[in-house]
Amino acid sequence: WRASVARDALQARVDPVAIAYLGSAACADCHDDRHASWHRTWHRTMTQTADASSVRGRFDGAELRAFGGVTRPVETAGGYAFEYRDPQSGAILTTLPVSRTVGSHRYQQYLTRDPDSETYYRLHWLWHIEDQRWVHMNAAFLGDDVQHFDAQVSVWNNNCVFCHNTGPEPGVKNVDELRERARRGEPVDVRSELRFDTRVTELGIGCEACHGPGGEHVAR
């Protein structure tokens, strides 16, 4: 009877949407060999906080010119940043700090965070790890040789977050506001105006990215 009850409980249907993500560390107690194997993979370091241990690019201040723009990757007191300069005068137009990295094996892309939300934007240059050189994002995709400098800038929260992280919750903050403006006939640019309060259980591709949320499994 006990075995029957246990079997029925283990085979009971569950709604995966209602199950909590716990993070890969929760898997290690029972699956230590599998956890150690995963820990050695590039999946774990797919998305990381930008710091001296994760950034692979050469932020040495060397000038980068492509698609009509001038950029300098630089080290700052707080970490790393891209300086954007006027192509004619050389004056600094803006400096965007690097908050996160995406990729650590083939090439590495860089994200900056909107200071007023958890909205992250993919910046203009990637670091090609094998070739040890910078590549403009426009040149990383098949497209016209004549493109706007910002053509491949994208929002991380509604794009990259889903495949390169574990347990993502996009958390759009201002969708009702944008809908109301659209109803009034005002122009709305969803690509640039959406603001997010995104949360992930784990940066990078953890165990639960493939096996599903583990809360129920651990509880049982």
Side-chain angles (χ1 to χ4, degrees):
W1 175 81
R2 288 181 184 276
S4 176
V5 169
R7 182 197 63 215
D8 292 343
L10 290 171
Q11 293 179 348
R13 291 179 178 273
V14 295
D15 179 6
V17 176
I19 301 175
Y21 285 86
L22 301 178
S24 297
C27 307
D29 283 349
C30 298
H31 307 286
D32 58 335
D33 57 338
R34 300 293 189 269
H35 181 273
S37 176
W38 160 81
H39 198 271
R40 294 191 296 269
T41 69
W42 301 111
H43 284 80
R44 179 179 63 85
T45 54
M46 177 58 72
T47 306
Q48 301 178 90
T49 299
D51 57 29
S53 66
S54 62
V55 170
R56 304 291 301 275
R58 189 178 296 135
F59 284 78
D60 58 0
E63 187 178 273
L64 305 173
R65 286 180 175 264
F67 297 94
V70 178
T71 314
R72 292 178 67 236
V74 296
E75 286 196 44
T76 66
Y80 305 88
F82 287 102
E83 284 182 358
Y84 293 86
R85 293 179 172 260
D86 183 277
Q88 280 72 47
S89 68
I92 296 177
L93 302 174
T94 189
T95 300
L96 298 179
V98 174
S99 302
R100 287 178 178 170
T101 67
V102 178
S104 61
H105 182 207
R106 191 160 58 97
Y107 55 76
Q108 188 169 73
Q109 303 174 44
Y110 300 95
L111 310 176
T112 193
R113 184 177 74 84
D114 176 74
D116 298 321
S117 68
E118 285 296 309
T119 307
Y120 290 83
Y121 298 93
R122 181 178 66 188
L123 294 174
H124 301 75
W125 293 87
L126 66 82
W127 179 252
H128 196 295
I129 294 170
E130 182 177 355
D131 288 353
Q132 291 289 288
R133 65 186 178 95
W134 290 103
V135 178
H136 194 282
M137 290 301 305
N138 288 2
F141 295 89
L142 291 176
D144 198 313
D145 288 342
V146 181
Q147 296 183 55
H148 191 276
F149 182 70
D150 297 330
Q152 295 299 332
V153 172
S154 62
V155 178
W156 173 81
N157 307 70
N158 60 10
N159 187 351
C160 322
V161 67
F162 294 105
C163 294
H164 297 306
N165 301 276
T166 307
E169 297 179 12
V172 180
K173 293 176 61 176
N174 61 338
V175 66
D176 291 336
E177 172 196 335
L178 296 183
R179 283 174 175 164
E180 182 56 34
R181 284 174 47 196
R183 289 192 193 99
R184 296 198 299 264
E186 298 177 15
V188 173
D189 184 351
V190 174
R191 183 173 179 266
S192 63
E193 294 188 64
L194 277 178
R195 293 294 178 269
F196 295 82
D197 186 21
T198 300
R199 296 289 181 269
V200 298
T201 301
E202 190 171 0
L203 289 176
I205 303 171
C207 302
E208 293 164 298
C210 295
H211 295 283
E216 185 69 18
H217 176 68
V218 170
R220 291 186 181 195

